[in-house]
Amino acid sequence: MPKVSIAVPVSPMGGIEPFLLKNLLNSCSKQSFQDYEIIISDHTASAMFYKMINKKNRKIKYFWNPNNLSNPQQNINNALLLSKGDFIKILFLDDMFHKKNSLQQIISQMIQTGKKWHVSGCYNYDMTNQESKKHNPKKGNRLLLGENTIGPPSVITLRNDKKLLFDENLDFIWDCEYYYRLYRNFGDPYYNSEPLILVRNNHKYQLSKLFEASKNKKSKIKKDILYCLQKHQKNWFEKILNLFFK
């Protein structure tokens, strides 16, 4: 059984999927820590990623997941459930390891401290302007309001002894709600501000996706926040309702 499962949920990314996947897999192959498996969960109707992987690479385990294609959380959860390693490193298609010892640092720090989860720093790289900016993760007290101070899910690593899954009922702030539950269930993570992950932002594709959702984005975020408050702060939520609708 591998020590680490690198959970890679993949979906269409505007035509640059082969480039992104190749970079991600190359960053894995260059890691000084090699006791891992790569779980690829293909969230497409046509299994488009199957032809992009090297079938001879025994570290790669490919799974086609044509279910609920409009819900990214469902695909992340599928990758998490298929992961068998002692630790799970989430790595999205448009992200990659930044350093050759990234995975070694993460696993060593988790073993030494006994922490249930790990958060690393990252570089946010703008693929359009070819500019990068360092992000230092920190604990925030407004996660349920959608204020993400941690970063994308690719900066977190989990122990695989008690799986928490992403809430598939949310539209936008599902990462923030997930981090909130990690804090509540496992306490603080180990924070490493060193940029171990490169987060690649394909703004041309992302902007087109945002444009598609822009008409309802604000209302969906408000709906998400109300859902989160009702789910996690029920007493406070009921007091607010009584204040306005009594």
Side-chain angles (χ1 to χ4, degrees), residues 4 6 27-28 30-33 89 91 96-110 118-123 154-155 157 192 194-198:
V4 179
I6 302 175
S27 78
C28 292
K30 294 177 181 178
Q31 289 301 297
S32 58
F33 186 96
K89 175 75 198 86
L91 201 58
M96 58 189 289
F97 290 113
H98 180 57
K99 299 186 176 184
K100 291 183 179 180
N101 69 340
S102 292
L103 193 55
Q104 181 70 63
Q105 281 198 52
I106 293 169
I107 301 307
S108 296
Q109 289 162 355
M110 293 188 74
H118 182 287
V119 177
S120 65
C122 65
Y123 275 119
S154 290
V155 304
T157 306
N192 184 346
E194 190 172 349
L196 303 180
I197 304 297
L198 182 66

PDB file of all heavy atoms in Angstrom, residues 4 6 27-28 30-33 89 91 96-110 118-123 154-155 157 192 194-198:
ATOM      1  N   VAL A   4       1.278   7.574   0.298  1.00  0.00           N
ATOM      2  CA  VAL A   4       0.516   8.776  -0.058  1.00  0.00           C
ATOM      3  C   VAL A   4      -0.327   8.510  -1.302  1.00  0.00           C
ATOM      4  O   VAL A   4       0.134   7.874  -2.255  1.00  0.00           O
ATOM      5  CB  VAL A   4       1.457   9.973  -0.337  1.00  0.00           C
ATOM      6  CG1 VAL A   4       0.652  11.216  -0.721  1.00  0.00           C
ATOM      7  CG2 VAL A   4       2.333  10.251   0.863  1.00  0.00           C
ATOM      8  N   ILE A   6      -2.037  10.715  -4.166  1.00  0.00           N
ATOM      9  CA  ILE A   6      -2.175  12.046  -4.755  1.00  0.00           C
ATOM     10  C   ILE A   6      -3.495  12.045  -5.520  1.00  0.00           C
ATOM     11  O   ILE A   6      -3.620  11.404  -6.564  1.00  0.00           O
ATOM     12  CB  ILE A   6      -0.998  12.378  -5.683  1.00  0.00           C
ATOM     13  CG1 ILE A   6       0.325  12.299  -4.917  1.00  0.00           C
ATOM     14  CG2 ILE A   6      -1.169  13.769  -6.292  1.00  0.00           C
ATOM     15  CD1 ILE A   6       1.561  12.501  -5.781  1.00  0.00           C
ATOM     16  N   SER A  27       5.782  16.864 -12.394  1.00  0.00           N
ATOM     17  CA  SER A  27       6.147  17.374 -11.068  1.00  0.00           C
ATOM     18  C   SER A  27       6.075  16.265 -10.027  1.00  0.00           C
ATOM     19  O   SER A  27       6.831  16.274  -9.053  1.00  0.00           O
ATOM     20  CB  SER A  27       5.247  18.552 -10.685  1.00  0.00           C
ATOM     21  OG  SER A  27       3.962  18.130 -10.250  1.00  0.00           O
ATOM     22  N   CYS A  28       5.179  15.300 -10.225  1.00  0.00           N
ATOM     23  CA  CYS A  28       5.095  14.150  -9.309  1.00  0.00           C
ATOM     24  C   CYS A  28       6.300  13.232  -9.493  1.00  0.00           C
ATOM     25  O   CYS A  28       6.902  12.767  -8.513  1.00  0.00           O
ATOM     26  CB  CYS A  28       3.816  13.365  -9.564  1.00  0.00           C
ATOM     27  SG  CYS A  28       2.289  14.220  -9.131  1.00  0.00           S
ATOM     28  N   LYS A  30       9.232  13.883 -10.368  1.00  0.00           N
ATOM     29  CA  LYS A  30      10.484  14.498  -9.910  1.00  0.00           C
ATOM     30  C   LYS A  30      10.580  14.613  -8.391  1.00  0.00           C
ATOM     31  O   LYS A  30      11.607  15.078  -7.874  1.00  0.00           O
ATOM     32  CB  LYS A  30      10.640  15.882 -10.540  1.00  0.00           C
ATOM     33  CG  LYS A  30      10.833  15.843 -12.051  1.00  0.00           C
ATOM     34  CD  LYS A  30      10.915  17.254 -12.633  1.00  0.00           C
ATOM     35  CE  LYS A  30      11.092  17.201 -14.145  1.00  0.00           C
ATOM     36  NZ  LYS A  30      11.129  18.571 -14.744  1.00  0.00           N
ATOM     37  N   GLN A  31       9.546  14.194  -7.682  1.00  0.00           N
ATOM     38  CA  GLN A  31       9.555  14.313  -6.223  1.00  0.00           C
ATOM     39  C   GLN A  31      10.606  13.394  -5.593  1.00  0.00           C
ATOM     40  O   GLN A  31      10.774  12.247  -6.014  1.00  0.00           O
ATOM     41  CB  GLN A  31       8.182  13.994  -5.651  1.00  0.00           C
ATOM     42  CG  GLN A  31       7.121  15.028  -5.933  1.00  0.00           C
ATOM     43  CD  GLN A  31       7.496  16.393  -5.383  1.00  0.00           C
ATOM     44  OE1 GLN A  31       7.639  16.592  -4.179  1.00  0.00           O
ATOM     45  NE2 GLN A  31       7.658  17.355  -6.289  1.00  0.00           N
ATOM     46  N   SER A  32      11.286  13.896  -4.577  1.00  0.00           N
ATOM     47  CA  SER A  32      12.263  13.069  -3.855  1.00  0.00           C
ATOM     48  C   SER A  32      11.556  11.962  -3.083  1.00  0.00           C
ATOM     49  O   SER A  32      12.128  10.900  -2.849  1.00  0.00           O
ATOM     50  CB  SER A  32      13.090  13.943  -2.903  1.00  0.00           C
ATOM     51  OG  SER A  32      12.248  14.631  -1.984  1.00  0.00           O
ATOM     52  N   PHE A  33      10.306  12.190  -2.699  1.00  0.00           N
ATOM     53  CA  PHE A  33       9.486  11.186  -2.031  1.00  0.00           C
ATOM     54  C   PHE A  33       8.680  10.460  -3.096  1.00  0.00           C
ATOM     55  O   PHE A  33       7.875  11.070  -3.795  1.00  0.00           O
ATOM     56  CB  PHE A  33       8.553  11.873  -1.015  1.00  0.00           C
ATOM     57  CG  PHE A  33       7.749  10.923  -0.167  1.00  0.00           C
ATOM     58  CD1 PHE A  33       8.194  10.561   1.091  1.00  0.00           C
ATOM     59  CD2 PHE A  33       6.556  10.392  -0.633  1.00  0.00           C
ATOM     60  CE1 PHE A  33       7.461   9.681   1.884  1.00  0.00           C
ATOM     61  CE2 PHE A  33       5.812   9.519   0.143  1.00  0.00           C
ATOM     62  CZ  PHE A  33       6.266   9.158   1.406  1.00  0.00           C
ATOM     63  N   LYS A  89      -2.921  13.694  -0.657  1.00  0.00           N
ATOM     64  CA  LYS A  89      -2.511  15.013  -1.151  1.00  0.00           C
ATOM     65  C   LYS A  89      -3.429  15.386  -2.312  1.00  0.00           C
ATOM     66  O   LYS A  89      -3.410  14.749  -3.368  1.00  0.00           O
ATOM     67  CB  LYS A  89      -1.067  14.973  -1.641  1.00  0.00           C
ATOM     68  CG  LYS A  89      -0.604  16.276  -2.280  1.00  0.00           C
ATOM     69  CD  LYS A  89      -0.344  17.311  -1.205  1.00  0.00           C
ATOM     70  CE  LYS A  89      -0.320  18.716  -1.770  1.00  0.00           C
ATOM     71  NZ  LYS A  89      -1.681  19.299  -1.834  1.00  0.00           N
ATOM     72  N   LEU A  91      -4.462  17.459  -5.449  1.00  0.00           N
ATOM     73  CA  LEU A  91      -3.746  18.245  -6.455  1.00  0.00           C
ATOM     74  C   LEU A  91      -4.643  18.402  -7.678  1.00  0.00           C
ATOM     75  O   LEU A  91      -4.897  17.433  -8.405  1.00  0.00           O
ATOM     76  CB  LEU A  91      -2.434  17.550  -6.826  1.00  0.00           C
ATOM     77  CG  LEU A  91      -1.333  18.406  -7.451  1.00  0.00           C
ATOM     78  CD1 LEU A  91      -0.946  19.557  -6.536  1.00  0.00           C
ATOM     79  CD2 LEU A  91      -0.113  17.549  -7.769  1.00  0.00           C
ATOM     80  N   MET A  96       0.402  22.020  -9.529  1.00  0.00           N
ATOM     81  CA  MET A  96       1.515  21.072  -9.571  1.00  0.00           C
ATOM     82  C   MET A  96       2.434  21.344  -8.381  1.00  0.00           C
ATOM     83  O   MET A  96       2.361  22.387  -7.736  1.00  0.00           O
ATOM     84  CB  MET A  96       2.283  21.206 -10.893  1.00  0.00           C
ATOM     85  CG  MET A  96       2.832  22.604 -11.133  1.00  0.00           C
ATOM     86  SD  MET A  96       3.507  22.867 -12.799  1.00  0.00           S
ATOM     87  CE  MET A  96       4.997  21.892 -12.709  1.00  0.00           C
ATOM     88  N   PHE A  97       3.314  20.381  -8.095  1.00  0.00           N
ATOM     89  CA  PHE A  97       4.324  20.603  -7.065  1.00  0.00           C
ATOM     90  C   PHE A  97       5.325  21.641  -7.560  1.00  0.00           C
ATOM     91  O   PHE A  97       5.747  21.611  -8.717  1.00  0.00           O
ATOM     92  CB  PHE A  97       5.057  19.299  -6.731  1.00  0.00           C
ATOM     93  CG  PHE A  97       4.209  18.291  -6.000  1.00  0.00           C
ATOM     94  CD1 PHE A  97       3.863  17.093  -6.614  1.00  0.00           C
ATOM     95  CD2 PHE A  97       3.763  18.538  -4.720  1.00  0.00           C
ATOM     96  CE1 PHE A  97       3.083  16.155  -5.949  1.00  0.00           C
ATOM     97  CE2 PHE A  97       2.975  17.608  -4.046  1.00  0.00           C
ATOM     98  CZ  PHE A  97       2.639  16.420  -4.657  1.00  0.00           C
ATOM     99  N   HIS A  98       5.712  22.534  -6.660  1.00  0.00           N
ATOM    100  CA  HIS A  98       6.628  23.609  -7.050  1.00  0.00           C
ATOM    101  C   HIS A  98       8.087  23.214  -6.833  1.00  0.00           C
ATOM    102  O   HIS A  98       8.977  23.680  -7.551  1.00  0.00           O
ATOM    103  CB  HIS A  98       6.312  24.874  -6.261  1.00  0.00           C
ATOM    104  CG  HIS A  98       7.191  26.038  -6.578  1.00  0.00           C
ATOM    105  ND1 HIS A  98       7.331  26.542  -7.854  1.00  0.00           N
ATOM    106  CD2 HIS A  98       8.002  26.793  -5.792  1.00  0.00           C
ATOM    107  CE1 HIS A  98       8.161  27.564  -7.842  1.00  0.00           C
ATOM    108  NE2 HIS A  98       8.597  27.725  -6.611  1.00  0.00           N
ATOM    109  N   LYS A  99       8.339  22.371  -5.833  1.00  0.00           N
ATOM    110  CA  LYS A  99       9.707  21.977  -5.514  1.00  0.00           C
ATOM    111  C   LYS A  99       9.839  20.460  -5.533  1.00  0.00           C
ATOM    112  O   LYS A  99       8.865  19.740  -5.327  1.00  0.00           O
ATOM    113  CB  LYS A  99      10.104  22.521  -4.136  1.00  0.00           C
ATOM    114  CG  LYS A  99      10.052  24.042  -4.057  1.00  0.00           C
ATOM    115  CD  LYS A  99      10.581  24.539  -2.728  1.00  0.00           C
ATOM    116  CE  LYS A  99      10.615  26.068  -2.706  1.00  0.00           C
ATOM    117  NZ  LYS A  99      11.213  26.589  -1.458  1.00  0.00           N
ATOM    118  N   LYS A 100      11.057  19.991  -5.737  1.00  0.00           N
ATOM    119  CA  LYS A 100      11.282  18.548  -5.805  1.00  0.00           C
ATOM    120  C   LYS A 100      11.074  17.863  -4.461  1.00  0.00           C
ATOM    121  O   LYS A 100      10.798  16.660  -4.416  1.00  0.00           O
ATOM    122  CB  LYS A 100      12.694  18.271  -6.324  1.00  0.00           C
ATOM    123  CG  LYS A 100      12.894  18.643  -7.785  1.00  0.00           C
ATOM    124  CD  LYS A 100      14.288  18.286  -8.264  1.00  0.00           C
ATOM    125  CE  LYS A 100      14.472  18.637  -9.735  1.00  0.00           C
ATOM    126  NZ  LYS A 100      15.833  18.293 -10.237  1.00  0.00           N
ATOM    127  N   ASN A 101      11.206  18.605  -3.370  1.00  0.00           N
ATOM    128  CA  ASN A 101      11.020  18.024  -2.049  1.00  0.00           C
ATOM    129  C   ASN A 101       9.703  18.445  -1.402  1.00  0.00           C
ATOM    130  O   ASN A 101       9.544  18.352  -0.181  1.00  0.00           O
ATOM    131  CB  ASN A 101      12.189  18.375  -1.133  1.00  0.00           C
ATOM    132  CG  ASN A 101      12.221  19.859  -0.762  1.00  0.00           C
ATOM    133  OD1 ASN A 101      11.617  20.689  -1.446  1.00  0.00           O
ATOM    134  ND2 ASN A 101      12.908  20.187   0.310  1.00  0.00           N
ATOM    135  N   SER A 102       8.759  18.925  -2.211  1.00  0.00           N
ATOM    136  CA  SER A 102       7.484  19.391  -1.662  1.00  0.00           C
ATOM    137  C   SER A 102       6.776  18.287  -0.878  1.00  0.00           C
ATOM    138  O   SER A 102       6.377  18.463   0.274  1.00  0.00           O
ATOM    139  CB  SER A 102       6.561  19.887  -2.787  1.00  0.00           C
ATOM    140  OG  SER A 102       7.043  21.066  -3.381  1.00  0.00           O
ATOM    141  N   LEU A 103       6.607  17.133  -1.506  1.00  0.00           N
ATOM    142  CA  LEU A 103       5.885  16.042  -0.861  1.00  0.00           C
ATOM    143  C   LEU A 103       6.655  15.513   0.345  1.00  0.00           C
ATOM    144  O   LEU A 103       6.056  15.166   1.372  1.00  0.00           O
ATOM    145  CB  LEU A 103       5.638  14.919  -1.880  1.00  0.00           C
ATOM    146  CG  LEU A 103       4.628  13.839  -1.481  1.00  0.00           C
ATOM    147  CD1 LEU A 103       3.283  14.451  -1.102  1.00  0.00           C
ATOM    148  CD2 LEU A 103       4.445  12.829  -2.612  1.00  0.00           C
ATOM    149  N   GLN A 104       7.986  15.473   0.245  1.00  0.00           N
ATOM    150  CA  GLN A 104       8.816  15.026   1.372  1.00  0.00           C
ATOM    151  C   GLN A 104       8.615  15.939   2.573  1.00  0.00           C
ATOM    152  O   GLN A 104       8.469  15.471   3.715  1.00  0.00           O
ATOM    153  CB  GLN A 104      10.283  15.008   0.962  1.00  0.00           C
ATOM    154  CG  GLN A 104      11.230  14.524   2.058  1.00  0.00           C
ATOM    155  CD  GLN A 104      11.068  13.049   2.335  1.00  0.00           C
ATOM    156  OE1 GLN A 104      11.314  12.227   1.459  1.00  0.00           O
ATOM    157  NE2 GLN A 104      10.648  12.699   3.552  1.00  0.00           N
ATOM    158  N   GLN A 105       8.623  17.235   2.332  1.00  0.00           N
ATOM    159  CA  GLN A 105       8.407  18.195   3.428  1.00  0.00           C
ATOM    160  C   GLN A 105       7.049  17.982   4.087  1.00  0.00           C
ATOM    161  O   GLN A 105       6.937  17.934   5.315  1.00  0.00           O
ATOM    162  CB  GLN A 105       8.492  19.622   2.898  1.00  0.00           C
ATOM    163  CG  GLN A 105       9.879  20.155   2.678  1.00  0.00           C
ATOM    164  CD  GLN A 105       9.876  21.673   2.581  1.00  0.00           C
ATOM    165  OE1 GLN A 105       9.347  22.373   3.451  1.00  0.00           O
ATOM    166  NE2 GLN A 105      10.457  22.193   1.517  1.00  0.00           N
ATOM    167  N   ILE A 106       6.020  17.861   3.262  1.00  0.00           N
ATOM    168  CA  ILE A 106       4.656  17.739   3.782  1.00  0.00           C
ATOM    169  C   ILE A 106       4.506  16.505   4.664  1.00  0.00           C
ATOM    170  O   ILE A 106       4.029  16.588   5.806  1.00  0.00           O
ATOM    171  CB  ILE A 106       3.653  17.695   2.620  1.00  0.00           C
ATOM    172  CG1 ILE A 106       3.615  19.034   1.884  1.00  0.00           C
ATOM    173  CG2 ILE A 106       2.261  17.330   3.131  1.00  0.00           C
ATOM    174  CD1 ILE A 106       2.860  18.993   0.562  1.00  0.00           C
ATOM    175  N   ILE A 107       4.929  15.352   4.162  1.00  0.00           N
ATOM    176  CA  ILE A 107       4.746  14.102   4.901  1.00  0.00           C
ATOM    177  C   ILE A 107       5.621  14.085   6.154  1.00  0.00           C
ATOM    178  O   ILE A 107       5.178  13.657   7.235  1.00  0.00           O
ATOM    179  CB  ILE A 107       5.046  12.889   3.997  1.00  0.00           C
ATOM    180  CG1 ILE A 107       4.115  12.908   2.774  1.00  0.00           C
ATOM    181  CG2 ILE A 107       4.888  11.600   4.772  1.00  0.00           C
ATOM    182  CD1 ILE A 107       2.637  13.010   3.102  1.00  0.00           C
ATOM    183  N   SER A 108       6.853  14.549   6.047  1.00  0.00           N
ATOM    184  CA  SER A 108       7.744  14.597   7.213  1.00  0.00           C
ATOM    185  C   SER A 108       7.163  15.475   8.310  1.00  0.00           C
ATOM    186  O   SER A 108       7.190  15.110   9.495  1.00  0.00           O
ATOM    187  CB  SER A 108       9.129  15.113   6.809  1.00  0.00           C
ATOM    188  OG  SER A 108       9.759  14.234   5.907  1.00  0.00           O
ATOM    189  N   GLN A 109       6.636  16.623   7.941  1.00  0.00           N
ATOM    190  CA  GLN A 109       6.075  17.541   8.932  1.00  0.00           C
ATOM    191  C   GLN A 109       4.824  16.974   9.587  1.00  0.00           C
ATOM    192  O   GLN A 109       4.597  17.152  10.779  1.00  0.00           O
ATOM    193  CB  GLN A 109       5.795  18.885   8.269  1.00  0.00           C
ATOM    194  CG  GLN A 109       7.054  19.655   7.932  1.00  0.00           C
ATOM    195  CD  GLN A 109       6.866  20.762   6.909  1.00  0.00           C
ATOM    196  OE1 GLN A 109       5.779  20.932   6.339  1.00  0.00           O
ATOM    197  NE2 GLN A 109       7.922  21.510   6.651  1.00  0.00           N
ATOM    198  N   MET A 110       4.014  16.262   8.816  1.00  0.00           N
ATOM    199  CA  MET A 110       2.809  15.656   9.390  1.00  0.00           C
ATOM    200  C   MET A 110       3.164  14.507  10.329  1.00  0.00           C
ATOM    201  O   MET A 110       2.556  14.344  11.400  1.00  0.00           O
ATOM    202  CB  MET A 110       1.882  15.171   8.284  1.00  0.00           C
ATOM    203  CG  MET A 110       1.275  16.287   7.452  1.00  0.00           C
ATOM    204  SD  MET A 110       0.007  15.718   6.291  1.00  0.00           S
ATOM    205  CE  MET A 110      -1.371  15.391   7.407  1.00  0.00           C
ATOM    206  N   HIS A 118      -2.458  19.342   6.788  1.00  0.00           N
ATOM    207  CA  HIS A 118      -1.305  20.196   6.511  1.00  0.00           C
ATOM    208  C   HIS A 118      -1.708  21.231   5.469  1.00  0.00           C
ATOM    209  O   HIS A 118      -2.427  20.925   4.515  1.00  0.00           O
ATOM    210  CB  HIS A 118      -0.160  19.320   5.981  1.00  0.00           C
ATOM    211  CG  HIS A 118       1.117  20.040   5.680  1.00  0.00           C
ATOM    212  ND1 HIS A 118       1.273  20.874   4.581  1.00  0.00           N
ATOM    213  CD2 HIS A 118       2.312  20.032   6.322  1.00  0.00           C
ATOM    214  CE1 HIS A 118       2.510  21.345   4.574  1.00  0.00           C
ATOM    215  NE2 HIS A 118       3.167  20.846   5.607  1.00  0.00           N
ATOM    216  N   VAL A 119      -1.249  22.459   5.666  1.00  0.00           N
ATOM    217  CA  VAL A 119      -1.510  23.542   4.714  1.00  0.00           C
ATOM    218  C   VAL A 119      -0.172  24.163   4.313  1.00  0.00           C
ATOM    219  O   VAL A 119       0.625  24.534   5.174  1.00  0.00           O
ATOM    220  CB  VAL A 119      -2.420  24.629   5.318  1.00  0.00           C
ATOM    221  CG1 VAL A 119      -2.620  25.769   4.331  1.00  0.00           C
ATOM    222  CG2 VAL A 119      -3.759  24.042   5.738  1.00  0.00           C
ATOM    223  N   SER A 120       0.061  24.252   3.041  1.00  0.00           N
ATOM    224  CA  SER A 120       1.326  24.819   2.559  1.00  0.00           C
ATOM    225  C   SER A 120       1.078  26.130   1.826  1.00  0.00           C
ATOM    226  O   SER A 120      -0.035  26.410   1.362  1.00  0.00           O
ATOM    227  CB  SER A 120       2.041  23.832   1.642  1.00  0.00           C
ATOM    228  OG  SER A 120       1.294  23.607   0.464  1.00  0.00           O
ATOM    229  N   GLY A 121       2.133  26.898   1.711  1.00  0.00           N
ATOM    230  CA  GLY A 121       2.062  28.100   0.897  1.00  0.00           C
ATOM    231  C   GLY A 121       2.064  27.721  -0.582  1.00  0.00           C
ATOM    232  O   GLY A 121       2.273  26.566  -0.952  1.00  0.00           O
ATOM    233  N   CYS A 122       1.838  28.713  -1.418  1.00  0.00           N
ATOM    234  CA  CYS A 122       1.823  28.436  -2.856  1.00  0.00           C
ATOM    235  C   CYS A 122       2.175  29.705  -3.622  1.00  0.00           C
ATOM    236  O   CYS A 122       2.180  30.810  -3.074  1.00  0.00           O
ATOM    237  CB  CYS A 122       0.450  27.922  -3.301  1.00  0.00           C
ATOM    238  SG  CYS A 122      -0.906  29.127  -3.148  1.00  0.00           S
ATOM    239  N   TYR A 123       2.480  29.506  -4.876  1.00  0.00           N
ATOM    240  CA  TYR A 123       2.585  30.616  -5.818  1.00  0.00           C
ATOM    241  C   TYR A 123       1.352  30.584  -6.713  1.00  0.00           C
ATOM    242  O   TYR A 123       1.014  29.545  -7.293  1.00  0.00           O
ATOM    243  CB  TYR A 123       3.834  30.495  -6.692  1.00  0.00           C
ATOM    244  CG  TYR A 123       5.093  31.051  -6.073  1.00  0.00           C
ATOM    245  CD1 TYR A 123       6.184  30.228  -5.828  1.00  0.00           C
ATOM    246  CD2 TYR A 123       5.190  32.394  -5.733  1.00  0.00           C
ATOM    247  CE1 TYR A 123       7.342  30.732  -5.261  1.00  0.00           C
ATOM    248  CE2 TYR A 123       6.345  32.912  -5.157  1.00  0.00           C
ATOM    249  CZ  TYR A 123       7.414  32.073  -4.928  1.00  0.00           C
ATOM    250  OH  TYR A 123       8.559  32.576  -4.365  1.00  0.00           O
ATOM    251  N   SER A 154      -5.641  22.447  -3.395  1.00  0.00           N
ATOM    252  CA  SER A 154      -4.347  21.852  -3.714  1.00  0.00           C
ATOM    253  C   SER A 154      -3.279  22.135  -2.663  1.00  0.00           C
ATOM    254  O   SER A 154      -2.216  21.494  -2.685  1.00  0.00           O
ATOM    255  CB  SER A 154      -3.848  22.344  -5.080  1.00  0.00           C
ATOM    256  OG  SER A 154      -4.621  21.802  -6.130  1.00  0.00           O
ATOM    257  N   VAL A 155      -3.514  23.054  -1.751  1.00  0.00           N
ATOM    258  CA  VAL A 155      -2.505  23.351  -0.721  1.00  0.00           C
ATOM    259  C   VAL A 155      -2.696  22.492   0.526  1.00  0.00           C
ATOM    260  O   VAL A 155      -1.899  22.595   1.462  1.00  0.00           O
ATOM    261  CB  VAL A 155      -2.500  24.849  -0.327  1.00  0.00           C
ATOM    262  CG1 VAL A 155      -2.300  25.735  -1.550  1.00  0.00           C
ATOM    263  CG2 VAL A 155      -3.766  25.243   0.433  1.00  0.00           C
ATOM    264  N   THR A 157      -3.186  18.757   2.637  1.00  0.00           N
ATOM    265  CA  THR A 157      -2.918  17.323   2.691  1.00  0.00           C
ATOM    266  C   THR A 157      -3.602  16.771   3.932  1.00  0.00           C
ATOM    267  O   THR A 157      -3.638  17.434   4.971  1.00  0.00           O
ATOM    268  CB  THR A 157      -1.404  17.045   2.750  1.00  0.00           C
ATOM    269  OG1 THR A 157      -0.763  17.702   1.650  1.00  0.00           O
ATOM    270  CG2 THR A 157      -1.108  15.559   2.681  1.00  0.00           C
ATOM    271  N   ASN A 192       2.823  25.539   6.750  1.00  0.00           N
ATOM    272  CA  ASN A 192       4.135  25.752   6.160  1.00  0.00           C
ATOM    273  C   ASN A 192       3.979  26.850   5.117  1.00  0.00           C
ATOM    274  O   ASN A 192       3.354  26.652   4.082  1.00  0.00           O
ATOM    275  CB  ASN A 192       4.657  24.466   5.510  1.00  0.00           C
ATOM    276  CG  ASN A 192       6.060  24.605   4.956  1.00  0.00           C
ATOM    277  OD1 ASN A 192       6.581  25.709   4.807  1.00  0.00           O
ATOM    278  ND2 ASN A 192       6.692  23.490   4.626  1.00  0.00           N
ATOM    279  N   GLU A 194       6.115  28.078   3.215  1.00  0.00           N
ATOM    280  CA  GLU A 194       6.948  27.901   2.027  1.00  0.00           C
ATOM    281  C   GLU A 194       6.073  27.492   0.844  1.00  0.00           C
ATOM    282  O   GLU A 194       5.217  26.615   0.967  1.00  0.00           O
ATOM    283  CB  GLU A 194       8.010  26.831   2.283  1.00  0.00           C
ATOM    284  CG  GLU A 194       9.058  26.746   1.194  1.00  0.00           C
ATOM    285  CD  GLU A 194      10.210  25.816   1.547  1.00  0.00           C
ATOM    286  OE1 GLU A 194      10.304  25.394   2.711  1.00  0.00           O
ATOM    287  OE2 GLU A 194      10.994  25.501   0.639  1.00  0.00           O
ATOM    288  N   PRO A 195       6.266  28.109  -0.320  1.00  0.00           N
ATOM    289  CA  PRO A 195       5.421  27.803  -1.492  1.00  0.00           C
ATOM    290  C   PRO A 195       5.771  26.447  -2.095  1.00  0.00           C
ATOM    291  O   PRO A 195       6.626  26.353  -2.979  1.00  0.00           O
ATOM    292  CB  PRO A 195       5.719  28.952  -2.457  1.00  0.00           C
ATOM    293  CG  PRO A 195       7.104  29.399  -2.089  1.00  0.00           C
ATOM    294  CD  PRO A 195       7.228  29.191  -0.601  1.00  0.00           C
ATOM    295  N   LEU A 196       5.095  25.400  -1.637  1.00  0.00           N
ATOM    296  CA  LEU A 196       5.362  24.047  -2.114  1.00  0.00           C
ATOM    297  C   LEU A 196       4.524  23.671  -3.334  1.00  0.00           C
ATOM    298  O   LEU A 196       4.803  22.681  -4.001  1.00  0.00           O
ATOM    299  CB  LEU A 196       5.100  23.038  -0.987  1.00  0.00           C
ATOM    300  CG  LEU A 196       5.891  23.250   0.313  1.00  0.00           C
ATOM    301  CD1 LEU A 196       5.539  22.175   1.330  1.00  0.00           C
ATOM    302  CD2 LEU A 196       7.388  23.276   0.042  1.00  0.00           C
ATOM    303  N   ILE A 197       3.498  24.479  -3.609  1.00  0.00           N
ATOM    304  CA  ILE A 197       2.570  24.202  -4.708  1.00  0.00           C
ATOM    305  C   ILE A 197       2.537  25.392  -5.665  1.00  0.00           C
ATOM    306  O   ILE A 197       2.576  26.546  -5.239  1.00  0.00           O
ATOM    307  CB  ILE A 197       1.145  23.937  -4.174  1.00  0.00           C
ATOM    308  CG1 ILE A 197       1.147  22.791  -3.150  1.00  0.00           C
ATOM    309  CG2 ILE A 197       0.177  23.652  -5.314  1.00  0.00           C
ATOM    310  CD1 ILE A 197       1.591  21.458  -3.720  1.00  0.00           C
ATOM    311  N   LEU A 198       2.458  25.098  -6.942  1.00  0.00           N
ATOM    312  CA  LEU A 198       2.270  26.126  -7.962  1.00  0.00           C
ATOM    313  C   LEU A 198       0.824  26.046  -8.437  1.00  0.00           C
ATOM    314  O   LEU A 198       0.400  25.028  -8.997  1.00  0.00           O
ATOM    315  CB  LEU A 198       3.219  25.920  -9.139  1.00  0.00           C
ATOM    316  CG  LEU A 198       3.154  26.975 -10.255  1.00  0.00           C
ATOM    317  CD1 LEU A 198       3.616  28.330  -9.739  1.00  0.00           C
ATOM    318  CD2 LEU A 198       4.002  26.544 -11.455  1.00  0.00           C
TER     319      LEU A 198
END
